[in-house]
């Protein structure tokens, strides 16, 4: 039997249970992978809590890395013994091993550990679509990035620096601001002690930023719009502080003909060829040294509820993983 996390009702971290499961063999187009590390992400909290409802009972987790144990008919890009990583549906990564569709499981290059891969696949692919697939962000642009000391944020700081983009990062403490700056943020703002929208105007000489990347949601949405230049792009890609209330679309015109989008990674990954290409480009950023993964929290699979509590309380920096 293989250990896996399951839950039967939406709720707090206490609903997460360790169960024994029978993994079985891969069918056509599938692989069986034994995990060495599993990544945690805020979407896991949204799914567990019911903010993103899902059929129950269910497993949890969308990101992991390990070694391929078996492949089904028709799988040609992986073979038994290959190191591999993924960030994709269906959920179920919180497990020692699983059978899953092979199309978005990616061969892992030498030089990237399975821990680093598990910590950065979903966050790195999210950073990829934010900077390369959502709107044009040429060299010299200025971006405001909230939660810049988080898992996605630290990758985004490095990515922006590598591509010649000025990133203004916000965080909730001076220590987190220093961490974001260390990873490439050109400017940092402690949103607990400063009005970030006013500070952005100061930094940009009143112009505003070209793009805002906001995964915080309710607490930062209005200030994010107020930080944009005319014709700027607001990318809302998460709800860490709660969902954004209904938007009066007229505000976008009044504040400077702003653009607003709510993308998800899984729209981009719907085409497996696109997902594999995105992963290859992410791996190049890592192997070339532009992006380094920072893992600040490690938990055993059995301690998954504690991991969720830490992440949900925004007490974490960098990436959080489950080790197996």
């Amino acid at each position: 039997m293989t250990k896996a996390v399951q839950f039967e009702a939406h709720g707090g971290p206490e609903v997460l249970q360790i169960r024994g499961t029978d993994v079985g063999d891969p069918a056509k187009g599938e692989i069986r992978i034994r995990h060495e590390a599993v990544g945690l992400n805020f979407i896991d909290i949204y799914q567990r809590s019911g903010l993103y409802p899902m059929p129950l009972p269910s497993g949890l987790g969308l990101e992991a890395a390990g070694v391929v144990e078996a492949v089904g008919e028709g799988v040609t890009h992986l073979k038994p013994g290959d190191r591999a990583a993924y960030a994709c549906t269906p959920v179920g990564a919180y497990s020692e091993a699983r059978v899953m569709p092979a199309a978005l499981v990616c061969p892992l290059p030498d030089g990237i550990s399975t821990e680093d891969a598990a910590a950065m696949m979903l966050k790195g692919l999210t950073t990829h679509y934010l900077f390369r697939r959502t709107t044009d962000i040429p060299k010299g642009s200025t971006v405001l990035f909230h939660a810049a000391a988080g898992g996605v944020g630290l990758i985004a700081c490095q990515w922006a620096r590598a591509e010649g983009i000025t990133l203004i990062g916000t965080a909730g403490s001076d220590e987190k601001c220093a961490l974001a700056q260390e990873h490439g943020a050109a400017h940092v703002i402690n949103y607990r002690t400063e009005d970030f929208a006013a500070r952005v105007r100061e930094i940009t000489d009143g112009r505003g930023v070209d793009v805002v990347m906001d995964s915080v949601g309710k607490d930062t949405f209005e200030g994010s719009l107020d930080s944009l230049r005319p014709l700027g792009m607001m990318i809302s890609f998460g709800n860490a502080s709660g969902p954004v209330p209904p938007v009066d679309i007229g505000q976008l015109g009044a504040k400077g003909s702003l653009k607003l989008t709510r993308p998800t990674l899984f729209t981009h990954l719907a085409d497996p060829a696109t997902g594999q290409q995105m992963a290859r480009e992410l791996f190049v950023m890592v192997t070339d040294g532009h992006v380094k993964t920072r893992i600040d929290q490690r938990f055993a699979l059995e301690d998954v509820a504690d991991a969720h509590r830490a992440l949900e309380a925004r007490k974490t920096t960098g990436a959080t993983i489950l080790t197996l």
Side-chain angles (χ1 to χ4, degrees):
M1 298 289 282
T2 294
K3 292 179 182 176
V5 173
Q6 295 185 345
F7 64 110
E8 298 180 350
H10 293 298
E14 70 279 356
V15 303
L16 301 176
Q17 302 176 353
I18 305 293
R19 298 280 179 82
T21 63
D22 199 1
V23 175
D25 296 319
K28 182 177 181 180
E30 294 181 333
I31 64 157
R32 186 173 70 237
I33 183 169
R34 180 154 296 276
H35 295 147
E36 295 181 353
V38 176
L40 274 72
N41 298 278
F42 244 95
I43 190 173
D44 306 345
I45 290 171
Y46 302 155
Q47 291 173 334
R48 185 213 73 219
S49 69
L51 180 62
Y52 293 176
M54 54 199 302
L56 298 175
S58 177
L60 200 62
L62 294 160
E63 171 184 54
V67 177
V68 176
E69 291 188 325
V71 302
E73 180 186 348
V75 177
T76 59
H77 68 293
L78 294 166
K79 64 183 186 302
D82 282 351
R83 298 164 65 251
Y86 64 86
C88 61
T89 55
V91 298
Y94 289 13
S95 59
E96 293 178 325
R98 67 185 297 202
V99 168
M100 63 182 297
L104 283 172
V105 181
C106 305
L108 190 58
D110 294 339
I112 301 178
S113 72
T114 48
E115 281 200 357
D116 282 346
M120 65 122 182
M121 281 297 288
L122 192 144
K123 302 167 192 69
L125 292 173
T126 297
T127 304
H128 182 290
Y129 86 69
L130 289 172
F131 281 89
R132 293 192 177 174
R133 295 182 59 84
T134 303
T135 190
D136 186 35
I137 310 177
K139 182 178 180 180
S141 299
T142 302
V143 169
L144 173 63
F145 197 102
H146 292 298
V152 178
L154 293 184
I155 295 175
C157 289
Q158 297 173 79
W159 196 290
R161 179 172 58 187
E163 298 201 337
I165 296 164
T166 298
L167 185 142
I168 303 171
T170 74
S173 70
D174 291 342
E175 293 77 15
K176 287 186 175 184
C177 285
L179 186 60
Q181 198 154 32
E182 176 188 327
H183 282 73
H187 307 274
V188 290
I189 303 168
N190 183 338
Y191 65 79
R192 296 193 190 277
T193 60
E194 296 185 90
D195 179 336
F196 73 81
R199 182 73 183 110
V200 164
R201 292 290 172 181
E202 291 177 8
I203 293 169
T204 60
D205 295 324
R207 177 178 179 272
V209 298
D210 301 293
V211 179
V212 177
M213 299 176 180
D214 188 342
S215 65
V216 175
K218 177 173 63 70
D219 289 353
T220 52
F221 185 78
E222 288 296 330
S224 292
L225 293 182
D226 290 337
S227 299
L228 283 165
R229 65 163 174 81
L231 303 177
M233 169 66 83
M234 168 70 174
I235 306 173
S236 176
F237 70 103
N239 316 285
S241 67
V244 174
V247 177
D248 175 4
I249 198 169
Q251 286 189 62
L252 302 180
K255 291 179 183 290
S257 301
L258 305 180
K259 291 166 279 189
L260 169 64
T261 185
R262 180 54 170 93
T264 72
L265 172 61
F266 301 108
T267 304
H268 295 277
L269 299 183
D271 172 36
T274 297
Q276 291 283 350
Q277 180 61 34
M278 289 171 66
R280 286 192 292 270
E281 292 178 15
L282 170 62
F283 293 154
V284 168
M285 291 289 279
V286 175
T287 56
D288 283 354
H290 296 308
V291 169
K292 292 181 172 61
T293 304
R294 181 182 174 116
I295 303 171
D296 285 341
Q297 298 81 213
R298 291 175 170 84
F299 293 84
L301 185 68
E302 290 78 8
D303 296 326
V304 63
D306 290 336
H308 268 234
R309 291 185 185 99
L311 191 63
E312 200 163 16
R314 291 196 246 177
K315 293 181 178 178
T316 63
T317 55
T320 302
I321 63 169
L322 303 175
T323 55
L324 300 156

